[in-house]
Amino acid sequence: MLFTDRMDAGRRLAEALRHVRGENPVVLGLPRGGVPVASQVAQALGAPLDVIVVRKLGVPYHRELGYGAIGEGGVRVISDDIVRRSGVGRDELETVERAEETELARQAKRFRTDRPRTAIGGRTVIIVDDGIATGATAAAACEVVRAQGAARVVLAVPVAPPDAVAWLRTEADEVVCLSTPRAFRAVGEWYQDFSQTPDEEVVALLAQAAERGDENPAGGETEVEVDAGGVRLTGDLTLPRGTEEIVMFAHGSGSSRHSPRNRLVAAALNRAGLGTLLFDLLTPAEEADRANVFDIETLAGRLADATRWLRERESARIGYFGASTGAAAALRAAASFGAASAGADGDSDVDIAAVVSRGGRPDLAGPHLADVRAPTLLIVGGRDTLVLDLNRQAQAELRCENRLEVVPGATHLFAEPGALDEVADLARDWFTSHLAASHPMR
């Protein structure tokens, strides 16, 4: 396969990466030649683009022998085995690392100017280069982004030798390579135009991507500290431009705000112009005790407190998306607001406009189901028979507008091809219909 230039390679690579679009990925280009390729991938996937700056650490007397790598944010990935076998002293290694840290900082500032580094914690990250020869830099990049908190690492290149691809499959979660010629000598042989990419082009492409992000109605993700009744919880808030509706995600047992399933749904809601807040209802220490995951009263109380915090911050109409035990917490919290609006004991300062449950346990909300006033959609997999029965029983207790949707052939996690996309479509339609149609904000 012969590529016209890096832009052509990027467009073709983007086609092979369309299956990753639903994961709400971040695209990182390796400088310098990888950035023009990555810019095309990011545009096609509607993903943010950034540069990944890594520096390999070479043994002083044999620089081609790498003993580790460093990345931004103070990330160091060191092979203790190579350090031990090299026999190099600590002072010599520290000299190498100081020099590489200086160069890393210089490159990062040069390419990104004053923009902050894109947060990748809990995200799917696509690392892009214009091609691979040995694979050493690509492998270092995979290690660095994983150390920075990436949930899944996809390495994508137009061309590479077969042995390098085989090795890199052990370093990345997925490798996408368009061409693996056996007669491989150099990356440039597979391009008609492989002229050098200057620093200025990298800077310009990243600046253009940042401007497109500002104009993108899907908006960008911001890390926030959610105040849930005095408990500080980390969250990810995405607000499309001009939105007045936000969906809060209540995660279930064994899940978190980094859940790729919930992030896929959130991305679909963002594309529809809805804001999203993904946050954890428990602190890391609390999650260690499994009993807390099923403490619906505590989870619902945290969600209600966080809802008031969000309402004061954004003055938006609010919906809940709950999964597993998180669905019970969402319905219990909605019930506390619904009971107040009906004149019973409860909170009257917030109205929940809509609730969606994915593979949820609404039965765990118990007698409070009758107090829910928000229109509620229950989504269950057709092969998740036990949970389906529990949802049917819970539906009989609801007194609000409600609907039960069964996704044929899907199991509890909706891992089957197309199943989670159907969940996202159902949730999007329910929220866009009921949030926009809800009564005016008080």
Side-chain angles (χ1 to χ4, degrees), residues 64-359:
E64 291 304 309
L65 176 60
Y67 70 87
I70 59 172
E72 294 177 87
V75 168
R76 295 169 71 254
V77 180
I78 305 296
S79 171
D80 293 330
D81 182 56
I82 293 178
V83 170
R84 186 170 51 255
R85 286 190 284 118
S86 71
V88 178
R90 184 67 254 174
D91 290 345
E92 293 176 283
L93 297 178
E94 288 179 354
T95 299
V96 170
E97 291 176 30
R98 281 196 299 270
E100 295 299 345
E101 285 169 356
T102 299
E103 180 59 18
L104 182 141
R106 186 198 70 79
Q107 287 189 355
K109 183 172 180 57
R110 169 65 174 145
F111 294 138
R112 200 179 287 117
T113 61
D114 294 325
R115 291 185 303 276
R117 178 165 54 93
T118 301
I120 63 172
R123 304 282 293 273
T124 292
V125 175
I126 305 175
I127 299 172
V128 179
D129 205 353
D130 55 8
I132 285 173
T134 67
T137 300
C142 291
E143 289 184 294
V144 165
V145 298
R146 209 180 291 283
Q148 290 172 338
R152 196 165 95 85
V153 180
V154 179
L155 178 63
V157 293
V159 60
D163 56 344
V165 170
W167 170 49
L168 289 166
R169 291 192 196 282
T170 67
E171 302 293 321
D173 297 300
E174 180 181 356
V175 176
V176 175
C177 183
L178 302 182
S179 180
T180 54
R182 295 194 177 278
F184 187 99
R185 288 178 298 193
V187 172
E189 290 183 333
W190 305 94
Y191 286 82
Q192 292 178 357
D193 178 4
F194 197 65
S195 53
Q196 185 176 13
T197 302
D199 284 358
E200 292 74 16
E201 182 179 350
V202 174
V203 172
L205 287 170
L206 293 173
Q208 291 167 11
E211 291 174 4
R212 283 194 303 271
D214 291 340
E215 297 167 0
N216 186 347
E221 181 178 278
T222 302
E223 186 173 289
V224 295
E225 190 176 71
V226 179
D227 182 356
V231 179
R232 301 291 179 175
L233 303 168
T234 302
D236 299 317
L237 178 65
T238 301
L239 296 177
R241 183 168 298 173
T243 189
E244 295 182 346
E245 300 91 22
I246 301 176
V247 177
M248 301 179 71
F249 280 67
H251 306 291
S253 55
S255 185
S256 75
R257 75 181 192 281
H258 299 314
S259 162
R261 292 180 292 277
N262 285 341
R263 284 190 171 272
L264 184 147
V265 175
L269 300 183
N270 296 152
R271 289 193 293 271
L274 300 173
T276 54
L277 173 62
L278 295 95
F279 72 108
D280 299 323
L281 294 173
L282 298 172
T283 66
E286 290 171 335
E287 287 175 354
D289 184 350
R290 288 289 295 170
N292 291 327
V293 173
F294 293 91
D295 185 350
I296 303 304
E297 287 299 313
T298 296
L299 298 177
R302 292 272 176 90
L303 181 57
D305 288 336
T307 302
R308 282 187 284 271
W309 170 87
L310 179 62
R311 201 53 171 77
E312 290 176 1
R313 174 188 168 111
E314 300 296 339
S315 296
R317 289 180 287 272
I318 293 173
Y320 289 156
F321 182 94
S324 191
T325 54
L331 287 164
R332 176 67 184 92
S336 70
F337 297 125
S341 65
D345 292 336
D347 298 305
S348 59
D349 52 347
V350 178
D351 290 303
I352 303 305
V355 176
V356 173
S357 163
R358 170 184 66 81

